[in-house]
Amino acid sequence: MAPAVSHPGSHAASAFQAPEVRQSRQPVYPELSRRLREQGRVWLRLGIGRDGTVQTVGLERSSGHPRLDQSAMTAVRSWFFLRHNKTDRQFLPRRSCP
């Protein structure tokens, strides 16, 4: 299933194609979370710069475990995206991902 994608509410955004992940790494599972058997899915909102780097990371929905949330946020900061639309100047594209 494809990640949910949200766009700012403008007409320019309607022609926007979501950036695709070009390079990523999995979050490190915190050792204490592993021992405590913490599990969950973290949903993040990413702001992606024109160069494909992650500019902003926000927590959209917590796993319920701050260590897991922080690990996911740390991992996606190193992701790189391929931009399909390089002409948008009014906003950073945002992508929500689990």
Side-chain angles (χ1 to χ4, degrees):
M1 181 155 81
V5 178
S6 61
H7 311 287
S10 73
H11 295 293
S14 64
F16 176 77
Q17 185 177 2
E20 64 183 80
V21 177
R22 185 64 158 196
Q23 178 181 329
S24 65
R25 69 178 180 92
Q26 292 294 313
V28 173
Y29 212 103
E31 186 57 38
L32 182 56
S33 293
R34 187 181 311 276
R35 280 187 274 156
L36 295 173
R37 298 182 181 192
E38 295 175 339
Q39 297 179 22
R41 180 175 286 202
V42 180
W43 285 80
L44 302 174
R45 180 172 297 265
L46 310 179
I48 302 159
R50 286 184 182 81
D51 62 355
T53 60
V54 175
Q55 302 292 309
T56 61
V57 179
L59 184 62
E60 194 164 283
R61 190 179 335 157
S62 173
S63 67
H65 304 284
R67 280 180 296 276
L68 298 181
D69 298 345
Q70 189 59 51
S71 180
M73 293 175 77
T74 298
V76 300
R77 284 187 178 97
S78 69
W79 288 15
F80 182 77
F81 289 81
L82 177 63
R83 295 284 308 278
H84 293 289
N85 180 353
K86 298 188 187 302
T87 61
D88 55 299
R89 293 187 180 96
Q90 308 230 338
F91 61 93
L92 286 173
R94 306 232 182 257
R95 178 176 178 136
S96 297
C97 61

